[in-house]
Amino acid sequence: PWPGSTFLDTRGGDKATPEDLSDDEWVWRTVVGDTVHTSGSAVYALENDLDTLGVLNGTTEGERSYVEGFLSVYEDNGGTVAEQVEVEIGGSSYQSALSRLFDAEFDAFLVSLPLESAITALSDWSDAGYGRQPILSDPLAQQDLVDQVGSDIYGAWAGSPGQSGPSFDTFEEAFSAQGDAEVNAWSPPAWDAIHVIALAIERAGEATPEAIERNLGPVSRDGGTAVSTFAEGKEALANGEEISYQGAATPTNFTQHGNVFGSVTISTAGENGFEPTSEVPAEDIREFVADGEY
């Protein structure tokens, strides 16, 4: 329910041959991968006439993966990268890197760093008065960033996996009944992961790894009776029906590589932290993500 790396885009799933385990790979994901929500962010940037970009990113797989996903769509659709500066994480100051970055002319700048490093870098950016539109990787859409950087960060936005699955309301009701914790980006995908695993076991009649692997696709893909809870799925299977689990985060209609597809939520920083301000629908992103690559 959590790994977003583009490295996993083609390294999972049953390759749409559920009974043949020989071509199966690493993981199935109930959260959309970086390829999807970075594509959504890039589409949103271009739709808002942010045609030239500066990039500040860290050196780890996660930070690089986010930037690669964003730029692959951004540049292929007319966007231009004026300057990209890569920095080591954990620095006490990023003034030198910012000076190099802001020597270039661009409409907006993309920041992909761990939260602590981003707070340092964006505080340096604020102190220097560089201005221009910040675009943030989704892990940075946190209250701590706004509190530490201050009002200069207002208007910065980040794109993150949407919470627009067909059964989100069902999930939210069950979640809120258990306490007052806030729903975060990983809660609905975790709900979906537990459901498809449980339904795969139910369909198989056993809980071996091989049985689960053979049944994850069949209980979630198109063609069966739509169900949104384990109870509904168990009843339908007992009646001899095939089922299609409809998820809380996404429809959970697994691709051949074990990925899911969904919308992207744009959250914008303001005095109350980051709040959802727009959504890029899944259908607006789909054309930018090739089936064979995802």
Side-chain angles (χ1 to χ4, degrees):
W2 55 265
S5 173
T6 57
F7 181 76
L8 298 175
D9 281 3
T10 58
R11 292 178 171 87
D14 60 10
K15 305 303 177 279
T17 56
E19 291 303 315
D20 179 8
L21 301 185
S22 67
D23 60 356
D24 293 10
E25 292 190 82
W26 294 3
V27 297
W28 300 67
R29 295 189 287 194
T30 52
V31 65
V32 300
D34 288 349
T35 295
V36 176
H37 69 270
T38 56
S39 296
S41 295
V43 169
Y44 186 77
L46 291 168
E47 287 176 345
N48 285 273
D49 300 321
L50 301 174
D51 298 324
T52 309
L53 201 68
V55 180
L56 182 70
N57 66 275
T59 56
T60 67
E61 167 65 23
E63 279 75 55
R64 284 174 170 164
S65 172
Y66 186 93
V67 169
E68 288 166 4
F70 188 106
L71 295 185
S72 66
V73 171
Y74 184 79
E75 292 182 302
D76 285 351
N77 291 277
T80 301
V81 176
E83 183 65 70
Q84 181 172 359
V85 178
E86 195 167 79
V87 297
E88 294 295 330
I89 62 174
S92 59
S93 172
Y94 291 99
Q95 288 288 9
S96 175
L98 290 168
S99 178
R100 281 185 287 140
L101 181 66
F102 281 89
D103 274 345
E105 291 296 322
F106 45 79
D107 302 315
F109 65 103
L110 177 65
V111 179
S112 181
L113 291 166
L115 180 61
E116 186 174 330
S117 296
I119 288 172
T120 301
L122 288 167
S123 295
D124 290 345
W125 161 79
S126 174
D127 291 343
Y130 284 118
R132 291 182 245 186
Q133 172 66 51
I135 303 173
L136 310 176
S137 61
D138 57 303
L140 300 182
Q142 298 190 41
Q143 183 69 49
D144 279 354
L145 185 77
V146 176
D147 291 344
Q148 295 293 324
V149 177
S151 60
D152 282 347
I153 201 65
Y154 292 179
W157 56 264
S160 59
Q163 298 178 358
S164 58
S167 69
F168 180 79
D169 290 346
T170 300
F171 153 76
E172 189 174 41
E173 182 180 352
F175 188 91
S176 61
Q178 300 303 314
D180 58 2
E182 286 188 23
V183 174
N184 62 44
W186 319 120
S187 306
W191 168 272
D192 292 342
I194 294 298
H195 272 78
V196 292
I197 292 169
L199 290 168
I201 292 170
E202 185 68 21
R203 184 178 188 270
E206 59 178 286
T208 63
E210 295 79 10
I212 294 170
E213 180 75 0
R214 287 190 177 99
N215 287 277
L216 284 170
V219 300
S220 60
R221 291 173 175 145
D222 287 339
T225 299
V227 300
S228 59
T229 65
F230 176 74
E232 291 175 1
K234 177 179 172 67
E235 181 179 358
L237 289 167
N239 291 333
E241 303 169 36
E242 290 294 348
I243 62 171
S244 175
Y245 172 70
Q246 302 296 298
T250 72
T252 321
N253 189 2
F254 285 119
T255 70
Q256 63 171 331
H257 297 302
N259 298 308
V260 295
F261 207 89
S263 64
V264 171
T265 297
I266 302 298
S267 298
T268 303
E271 60 182 340
N272 296 317
F274 283 85
E275 296 183 318
T277 51
S278 187
E279 184 172 90
V280 184
E283 54 267 26
D284 289 0
I285 306 166
R286 198 68 178 96
E287 64 181 287
F288 301 108
V289 182
D291 285 336
E293 297 175 1
Y294 190 75

